[in-house]
C-alpha cells in the first residue's frame, strides 16, 4: 500500500475475516467499502471502523448470487471509491458434503456463490483495474481446492475452479500492474469452522488479516496461511490417486 | 449456528465447568443461538471475560454464548461523551480509544479486561462510587435479545421493569447486544495519589466516612495479618486527577506460570508481604503521580495473577455494610478470619455512596470490604461465618464474587429479589436464561 489514497472494497464484510481485514487496512488510512447482505450488521462494523480508525466507511448491499444486480453494484462502488481501488473477497458457502451428495440446489448455490459470483463481479471490475495504476485483487480461496477429498469435494471443486480462474486473471491483468493474490487458508477460527471436529492450530482472524496485509505488500501471488499448510498440501497432492481414492479424508 | 464443547473456569478457578458454547459474531447469530436453545430446552447464559470470581459466569451442563466477537463501538459523540457499544468491548479498549480525547468509562471495576456486558449485568462499581455511583447509573438504554428471539430496547422510559432487572441482572433477562451510556470526563491521563497509613480499623473507617466524596477516587488496603491494637491497619489511597498528562504506555502484562504451588500464598508469606507493603509508605504519607490505568488496574500488570493461588483456586468475599454498623461488623469479620487462622493478602476497603439502579444491584450507602481467601479446608466455613455477620448487620454480599451464599441469606440481603423474579418470569416465561449462580440461589 503506497501513500496514494486507497479504497478497499471488502466483499463478505460480515465475516470475522472480512471485519479484521477491513480494520487492518483502515489502520493504514484506507477508505473502506463494506459489501454484504446483512445491512444492519455492516452498519455496525462501519461505525466501529470509523470511530476507531477515523477513515470514511460506506456500506453497499451485495449478493454474490444476484448476478443481474452486479452492474448496479459496480456503479455504486465507482461512486464511492476515491483513489485506487483494491478488492478483498472473503465470502463463500459450505453446505455439508452429505447434503450435497443428493441436493442439487445446495450444489448450485455453492457453485454460484463460491465461483460464479466472483467471476461475474471480477469480470465487471476489470475495466477499473485496466484504467488505474496498480491495486490489488485479493481472494480468499481454500486449501480444499488443491485436491478433491471425499469429505468436501463440491466445495473443494468450486475453490479449484476459482484458483484456476484467479491464475488466469493474474496473467491477464499483469500488464496493467494489478496484483492478483490467491489466499489458501487452512484452519481459521471463524464462524464457519467453530465447533467443527478435527481442527488444529487454528489462526485467529486478526493474525490472518495481519499476515494477508504483509503478503500484499510483498506482492505475493499465491499464499498458504498459516504457512505450514503449504507443506501439508504438498504431501496431500503427491499421494497417487489409486491410494488417495481409498482414503476418507 | 454451531456449538462447541469447551471447559472453563471463572476467575476464582475453584471449579472447571463443561458447556456447549456458541460464539455469535452479529445480532442475527445471537437470535439464531437463542432460538436453538429455546427449542432444545437448554439453559443459556451470555458470558464475557469471565473475570467474576464465583459462579456468576458459569453454566454447568448448559449452553453459553461467548460474546467476545460482539465487540464493536457503534456510536460515539466526542462532544457529549455518549457512547454505544456491543457487550464484548473491554474497559482497556475504551481507555485506549478515548483517554487521549479526555473521556473514560464512567465507572470501572478493578480489571481493564472486564467487558461492558459484564459491567451491566453485575452493575459494577469502582473507586469513585461515592461520587459517581455504579455502572448502571450511567446507562441510557440497553438493547437485548429476549428468550423469544426478539430484539428489545429498554430504558428508564421504555420497559423500565426489564431495564432495572437487566442492570445487575446477572445475564438472566436476555442477551445484551448493545449498551448506550455516558462516559466520564478525564481532564488528564494521570492521578495524584495521596498514600496514608491508617493505624487501626476505627481510624480507618472514621477517615473513610469523613473524607467520603472529597476525592475523585479512593480505595484502601488492609493488612489482614495485623492484630490487637493494629487490627485493621492499612494504606489508604486518595486520588484526584493530575494537572498535566504524564508519559504512559500500557505494557503487555507479565504471565504467571502454571506451576506456582498452592502454598505459595500462606500466612507466613502474606505476613512478610503485608509488613513490607505497609511500611513502604512513610508515617507522614506519600504523594505520587500515577498513570490512571495503573491506578485503577494495579493487578493487571500480571496476567492470570489468579494462578498465584495454585491449582485449587481461591474464593473472594465482598460485602457492603451500612455506615452505622460498619466498624463493629468489620472488626468481627477480621476477628473471624484470625480465629480461623486464615488470612488474605488482598483485602480492600472503600466507601459506597448510594443504592444502584438495578433490582439486584450490590451497592448501598456504607463501607465495602473485599477479601481473597486461598482455597483450604477452612475457607468455606469462614466465608459462611462472614455471611452470617453481614446478614445480621444489614449488609449484602456481592454476587459477582460469590460462590457460597445460600438462598435464604441471599433473599434477606436482597429484598428486591421478588420484583426481579416477577420481571424475569414475565419476559422469560420459559426460563431460558440461567446460570450456575442463579440455580444455586434459586433466582
Amino acid at each position: 500500500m503506497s501513500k496514494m489514497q486507497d479504497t478497499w472494497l471488502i466483499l463478505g464484510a460480515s465475516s470475522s475475516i472480512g471485519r479484521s481485514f477491513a480494520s487492518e487496512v483502515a489502520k493504514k488510512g484506507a477508505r473502506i467499502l463494506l459489501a454484504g447482505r446483512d445491512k444492519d450488521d455492516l452498519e455496525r462494523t462501519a461505525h466501529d471502523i470509523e470511530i476507531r480508525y477515523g477513515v470514511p466507511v460506506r456500506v453497499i448491499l451485495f449478493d454474490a448470487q444476484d448476478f443481474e444486480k452486479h452492474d448496479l453494484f459496480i456503479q455504486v462502488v465507482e461512486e464511492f471509491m476515491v483513489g485506487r481501488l483494491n478488492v478483498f473477497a472473503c465470502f463463500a458457502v459450505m453446505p455439508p458434503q452429505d447434503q450435497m451428495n443428493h441436493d442439487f440446489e445446495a450444489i448450485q448455490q455453492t457453485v454460484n456463490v463460491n465461483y460464479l459470483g466472483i467471476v461475474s463481479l471480477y469480470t465487471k471490475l476489470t475495466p477499473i483495474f485496466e484504467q488505474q495504476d496498480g491495486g490489488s485483487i485479493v481472494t480468499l480461496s481454500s486449501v480444499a481446492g488443491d485436491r478433491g477429498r471425499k469429505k468436501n469435494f463440491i466445495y473443494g471443486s468450486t475453490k479449484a475452479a476459482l484458483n484456476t480462474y484467479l491464475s488466469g486473471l493474474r496473467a491477464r491483468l499483469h500488464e496493467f500492474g494489478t496484483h492478483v493474490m490467491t489466499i489458501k487458508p487452512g484452519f481459521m477460527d471463524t464462524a464457519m469452522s467453530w465447533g467443527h471436529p478435527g481442527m488444529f492450530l487454528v489462526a485467529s482472524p486478526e493474525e490472518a488479516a495481519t499476515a494477508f496485509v504483509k503478503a500484499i505488500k510483498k506482492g505475493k501471488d499465491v499464499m498458504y496461511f498459516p504457512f505450514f499448510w503449504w507443506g501439508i498440501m504438498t504431501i496431500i497432492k503427491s499421494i497417487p490417486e489409486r491410494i488417495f481414492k481409498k482414503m476418507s479424508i | 449456528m454451531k456449538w462447541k464443547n469447551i471447559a472453563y473456569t471463572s476467575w476464582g478457578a475453584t471449579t472447571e465447568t463443561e458447556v456447549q458454547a456458541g460464539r455469535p459474531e452479529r445480532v442475527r447469530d445471537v437470535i439464531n443461538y437463542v432460538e436453538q436453545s429455546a427449542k432444545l430446552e437448554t439453559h443459556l447464559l451470555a458470558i464475557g471475560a469471565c473475570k467474576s470470581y464465583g459462579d456468576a459466569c458459569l453454566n454447568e451442563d448448559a449452553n453459553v454464548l461467548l460474546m467476545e466477537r460482539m465487540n464493536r463501538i457503534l456510536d460515539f459523540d466526542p462532544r457529549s461523551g455518549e457512547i454505544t457499544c456491543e457487550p464484548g468491548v473491554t474497559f482497556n479498549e475504551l481507555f485506549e480509544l478515548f483517554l487521549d480525547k479526555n473521556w473514560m468509562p464512567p465507572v470501572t471495576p478493578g480489571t481493564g479486561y472486564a467487558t461492558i456486558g459484564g459491567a451491566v449485568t453485575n452493575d459494577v462499581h469502582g473507586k469513585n462510587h461515592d461520587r459517581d455511583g455504579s455502572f448502571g447509573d450511567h446507562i441510557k438504554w440497553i438493547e437485548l435479545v429476549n428468550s423469544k428471539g426478539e430484539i428489545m430496547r429498554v430504558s428508564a422510559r421504555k420497559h423500565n421493569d426489564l431495564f432495572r432487572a437487566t442492570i445487575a441482572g446477572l445475564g438472566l433477562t436476555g442477551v445484551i447486544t448493545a449498551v448506550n451510556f455516558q462516559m466520564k470526563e478525564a481532564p488528564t491521563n494521570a492521578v495524584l495519589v495521596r498514600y496514608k497509613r491508617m493505624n487501626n480499623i476505627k481510624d480507618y473507617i472514621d477517615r473513610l466516612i469523613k473524607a467520603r466524596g472529597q476525592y475523585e477516587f479512593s480505595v484502601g488496603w488492609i493488612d489482614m495479618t495485623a492484630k490487637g491494637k493494629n487490627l485493621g491497619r492499612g494504606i489508604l489511597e486518595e486520588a484526584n486527577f493530575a494537572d498535566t498528562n504524564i508519559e504512559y504506555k500500557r505494557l503487555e502484562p507479565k504471565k504467571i506460570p502454571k506451576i506456582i504451588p498452592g502454598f505459595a500464598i500462606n500466612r507466613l508469606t502474606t505476613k512478610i508481604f503485608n509488613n513490607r507493603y505497609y511500611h513502604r509508605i512513610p508515617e507522614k504519607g506519600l504523594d505520587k503521580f500515577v498513570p490512571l490505568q495503573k491506578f485503577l488496574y494495579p493487578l493487571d500488570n500480571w496476567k492470570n495473577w489468579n494462578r498465584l493461588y495454585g491449582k485449587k483456586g481461591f474464593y473472594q468475599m465482598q460485602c457492603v455494610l451500612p455506615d452505622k454498623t460498619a466498624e463493629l461488623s468489620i472488626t468481627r469479620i477480621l476477628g473471624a478470619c484470625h480465629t480461623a487462622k486464615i488470612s488474605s493478602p488482598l483485602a480492600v476497603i472503600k466507601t459506597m455512596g448510594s443504592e444502584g439502579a438495578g433490582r439486584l444491584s450490590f451497592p448501598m450507602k456504607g463501607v465495602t470490604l473485599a477479601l481473597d481467601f486461598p482455597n483450604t479446608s477452612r475457607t468455606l466455613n469462614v466465608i459462611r461465618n462472614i455471611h452470617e455477620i453481614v446478614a445480621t448487620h444489614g449488609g449484602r454480599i456481592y454476587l459477582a464474587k460469590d460462590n457460597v451464599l445460600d438462598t435464604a441469606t441471599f433473599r434477606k440481603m436482597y429484598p428486591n429479589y421478588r420484583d426481579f423474579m416477577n420481571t424475569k418470569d414475565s419476559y422469560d416465561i420459559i426460563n431460558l436464561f440461567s446460570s450456575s449462580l442463579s440455580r444455586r440461589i434459586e433466582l
Side-chain angles (χ1 to χ4, degrees):
Chain A
M1 270 152 280
S2 66
K3 291 269 172 283
M4 189 193 289
Q5 168 93 64
D6 271 293
T7 294
W8 273 94
L9 167 64
I10 315 290
L11 298 156
S14 271
S15 67
S16 51
I17 298 286
R19 252 171 73 182
S20 296
F21 186 86
S23 298
E24 196 63 30
V25 287
K27 263 182 221 169
K28 297 183 162 47
R31 275 175 89 90
I32 308 290
L33 306 178
L34 301 173
R37 286 178 303 161
D38 189 340
K39 189 160 178 287
D40 290 348
D41 184 66
L42 294 174
E43 298 282 3
R44 284 191 170 213
T45 302
H47 291 306
D48 183 62
I49 293 175
E50 274 173 348
I51 294 166
R52 282 179 200 257
Y53 310 111
V55 296
V57 186
R58 293 304 291 255
V59 168
I60 317 174
L61 280 179
F62 165 70
D63 184 345
Q65 286 193 87
D66 201 350
F67 307 119
E68 275 161 29
K69 294 224 178 95
H70 287 183
D71 277 320
L72 186 67
F73 173 75
I74 304 281
Q75 272 178 33
V76 182
V77 169
E78 283 188 290
E79 213 174 286
F80 288 152
M81 62 178 269
V82 171
R84 194 167 63 177
L85 183 68
N86 300 268
V87 179
F88 180 75
C90 59
F91 61 84
V93 290
M94 191 174 71
Q97 182 63 44
D98 298 351
Q99 185 191 346
M100 289 199 281
N101 284 340
H102 55 79
D103 181 350
F104 183 70
E105 250 175 60
I107 295 172
Q108 204 164 27
Q109 187 209 11
T110 310
V111 175
N112 281 347
V113 174
N114 299 3
Y115 179 67
L116 274 181
I118 290 195
V119 173
S120 155
L121 204 70
Y122 284 6
T123 306
K124 291 174 170 144
L125 279 168
T126 306
I128 300 178
F129 284 91
E130 285 174 352
Q131 278 157 33
Q132 74 178 22
D133 184 18
S136 293
I137 299 177
V138 180
T139 315
L140 206 66
S141 182
S142 170
V143 292
D146 281 8
R147 189 125 198 207
R149 296 178 300 117
K150 184 178 169 182
K151 279 188 177 163
N152 204 9
F153 64 91
I154 299 287
Y155 174 81
S157 62
T158 62
K159 292 298 191 181
L162 181 62
N163 293 344
T164 308
Y165 168 77
L166 291 172
S167 163
L169 186 70
R170 183 174 302 121
R172 163 149 151 61
L173 288 175
H174 178 67
E175 60 175 301
F176 302 102
T178 308
H179 168 223
V180 177
M181 182 164 114
T182 310
I183 303 171
K184 296 182 177 178
F187 296 150
M188 289 195 296
D189 193 7
T190 62
M192 208 191 237
S193 67
W194 180 255
H196 249 278
M199 308 285 292
F200 56 89
L201 291 169
V202 284
S204 77
E206 292 79 19
E207 288 165 351
T210 315
F212 298 166
V213 169
K214 227 165 137 187
I216 293 164
K217 223 172 165 185
K218 284 190 193 156
K220 279 209 169 192
D221 294 321
V222 180
M223 164 197 203
Y224 282 90
F225 179 80
F227 179 69
F228 63 83
W229 278 91
W230 175 82
I232 295 176
M233 294 322 292
T234 304
I235 295 165
I236 289 180
K237 279 193 284 189
S238 69
I239 302 171
E241 198 67 14
R242 66 191 152 78
I243 298 171
F244 195 75
K245 70 181 177 191
K246 295 174 196 159
M247 296 171 75
S248 64
I249 54 173
Chain B
M1 301 305 301
K2 279 172 291 195
W3 302 88
K4 186 178 172 179
N5 199 32
I6 61 160
Y8 69 111
T9 69
S10 66
W11 191 243
T14 49
T15 39
E16 191 174 75
T17 308
E18 263 193 53
V19 294
Q20 292 284 77
R23 190 182 57 189
E25 291 180 350
R26 42 179 155 162
V27 179
R28 239 175 234 202
D29 298 348
V30 172
I31 295 171
N32 198 312
Y33 275 126
V34 164
E35 287 174 347
Q36 276 189 39
S37 301
K39 215 178 275 170
L40 293 165
E41 295 181 26
T42 28
H43 289 309
L44 185 66
L45 180 71
I47 61 178
C50 292
K51 296 292 178 194
S52 51
Y53 291 72
D55 52 5
C57 64
L58 302 181
N59 205 9
E60 182 121 48
D61 298 325
N63 291 0
V64 299
L65 292 184
L66 311 178
M67 301 306 284
E68 60 204 42
R69 292 209 174 168
M70 300 277 295
N71 64 344
R72 290 170 288 192
I73 314 279
L74 305 177
D75 197 14
F76 177 68
D77 182 342
R79 279 170 313 233
S80 69
E82 189 176 327
I83 189 171
T84 310
C85 68
E86 291 186 322
V89 170
T90 64
F91 283 90
N92 278 337
E93 274 180 283
L94 293 182
F95 273 104
E96 271 149 40
L97 285 168
F98 301 112
L99 188 58
D100 62 358
K101 299 180 178 80
N102 299 105
W103 293 106
M104 65 176 281
V107 164
T108 166
T111 170
Y113 294 104
T115 64
I116 297 305
V120 176
T121 53
N122 294 290
D123 191 18
V124 299
H125 58 272
K127 300 171 179 44
N128 55 342
H129 191 268
D130 287 316
R131 282 193 180 185
D132 296 328
S134 49
F135 196 86
D137 295 325
H138 306 272
I139 302 174
K140 296 205 173 120
W141 53 262
I142 302 167
E143 179 192 271
L144 54 83
V145 172
N146 67 18
S147 62
K148 289 183 209 144
E150 299 162 343
I151 302 171
M152 294 184 77
R153 185 181 279 200
V154 301
S155 64
R157 258 174 292 158
K158 215 170 166 199
H159 303 292
N160 182 44
D161 54 346
L162 187 55
F163 181 61
R164 304 230 175 257
T166 301
I167 295 169
L170 304 158
L172 304 175
T173 58
V175 181
I176 295 173
T177 48
V179 187
N180 173 283
F181 59 96
Q182 176 63 45
M183 297 269 268
K184 176 184 168 74
E185 265 178 89
T188 57
N189 71 354
V191 281
L192 175 59
V193 189
R194 218 151 246 181
Y195 298 87
K196 278 191 215 112
R197 281 194 196 173
M198 296 287 127
N199 298 323
N200 56 54
I201 197 65
K202 185 177 184 315
D203 289 0
Y204 216 142
I205 290 175
D206 282 352
R207 168 70 200 176
L208 280 171
I209 291 175
K210 213 178 93 202
R212 174 180 265 152
Q214 281 181 18
Y215 287 81
E216 196 77 52
F217 305 100
S218 98
V219 62
W221 165 83
I222 289 183
D223 175 4
M224 285 284 288
T225 58
K227 290 184 195 171
K229 66 174 177 34
N230 290 331
L231 185 82
R233 74 171 184 182
I235 307 289
L236 175 63
E237 302 178 14
E238 294 172 319
N240 280 325
F241 282 107
D243 291 334
T244 50
N245 280 331
I246 60 177
E247 198 79 27
Y248 176 66
K249 199 175 177 325
R250 194 171 76 92
L251 299 170
E252 265 312 299
K254 301 178 231 7
K255 276 199 180 143
I256 285 168
K258 259 190 189 151
I259 48 164
I260 300 277
F263 55 81
I265 297 181
N266 58 33
R267 284 170 71 219
L268 182 66
T269 54
T270 303
K271 198 165 179 150
I272 295 167
F273 169 84
N274 282 7
N275 202 36
R276 287 179 64 170
Y277 197 83
Y278 180 77
H279 286 103
R280 183 182 60 116
I281 303 302
E283 222 165 306
K284 61 181 198 317
L286 180 75
D287 286 3
K288 204 175 151 191
F289 287 101
V290 181
L292 187 56
Q293 282 146 284
K294 246 182 137 168
F295 172 73
L296 294 171
Y297 308 134
L299 291 167
D300 279 359
N301 282 342
W302 294 276
K303 207 168 188 166
N304 306 327
W305 60 261
N306 55 348
R307 280 187 188 160
L308 281 175
Y309 288 95
K311 252 194 280 180
K312 281 160 79 184
F314 70 108
Y315 290 91
Q316 181 163 96
M317 182 295 303
Q318 183 171 357
C319 60
V320 59
L321 291 143
D323 284 357
K324 273 193 295 200
T325 59
E327 192 194 321
L328 175 66
S329 47
I330 290 176
T331 306
R332 289 184 61 188
I333 291 171
L334 298 182
C337 296
H338 282 303
T339 312
K341 297 197 188 331
I342 198 161
S343 75
S344 157
L346 216 77
V348 176
I349 188 165
K350 300 184 278 238
T351 40
M352 300 197 107
S354 55
E355 296 268 338
R359 291 280 176 256
L360 298 180
S361 282
F362 166 67
M364 62 166 71
K365 188 170 185 193
V367 179
T368 174
L369 176 74
L371 307 175
D372 275 5
F373 296 115
N375 185 5
T376 72
S377 54
R378 305 185 300 276
T379 310
L380 285 179
N381 268 333
V382 175
I383 293 177
R384 286 198 189 100
N385 284 345
I386 294 173
H387 287 177
E388 192 58 47
I389 298 170
V390 172
T392 318
H393 291 90
R396 232 174 243 162
I397 293 293
Y398 192 10
L399 298 175
K401 304 199 171 178
D402 177 62
N403 230 352
V404 184
L405 204 62
D406 58 67
T407 305
T409 320
F410 158 70
R411 290 183 173 176
K412 202 170 158 192
M413 292 173 171
Y414 288 86
N416 290 330
Y417 80 91
R418 215 174 274 283
D419 288 342
F420 174 85
M421 286 172 84
N422 287 341
T423 305
K424 175 170 165 59
D425 289 347
S426 64
Y427 288 95
D428 180 13
I429 301 160
I430 56 173
N431 193 27
L432 177 69
F433 302 108
S434 173
S435 66
S436 295
L437 167 68
S438 76
R439 295 190 287 278
R440 171 163 59 82
I441 56 174
E442 297 171 64
L443 261 179

